[in-house]
Amino acid sequence: MPAYRYVVQGRVQGVGYRYFVLRQADALGVSGFARNRPDGAVEVLAEGSDAALADFEARLREGPAFAEVAGVEREASPDRGSSGFHIR
């Protein structure tokens, strides 16, 4: 199953972004995690089907109402074999 590491830049901490990501992942059957980074970005590791990850990435770029997503970087990540989605 494909897996990607995303780094989401912008106003994404303190606005419920990680919980938004958790809800989107659960809705799409994507597993992995989201965590805040010291530089103000949010890091997301996601694993799922190609279709689910394409939809998931589109939702990452949108974010919740109070977020301002300035950019999303994506890179392939080794398959983590994880189950469920978690906030770290």
Side-chain angles (χ1 to χ4, degrees):
M1 211 175 274
Y4 294 103
R5 179 180 166 271
Y6 302 92
V7 176
V8 184
Q9 302 283 343
R11 190 174 74 186
V12 292
Q13 290 189 14
V15 294
Y17 190 87
R18 290 176 300 150
Y19 294 94
F20 168 83
V21 173
L22 173 65
R23 289 191 302 275
Q24 304 312 307
D26 286 346
L28 294 168
V30 170
S31 60
F33 66 84
R35 65 179 167 199
N36 286 338
R37 292 178 18 152
D39 64 1
V42 170
E43 179 181 359
V44 179
L45 182 76
E47 179 182 343
S49 70
D50 287 326
L53 289 176
D55 196 4
F56 184 70
E57 183 175 338
R59 295 178 188 197
L60 289 180
R61 292 179 183 284
E62 183 180 314
F66 294 107
E68 292 179 10
V69 177
V72 177
E73 297 174 19
R74 179 186 74 190
E75 64 181 36
S77 179
D79 182 353
R80 305 272 295 193
S82 57
S83 170
F85 198 91
H86 309 281
I87 294 175
R88 294 187 176 174

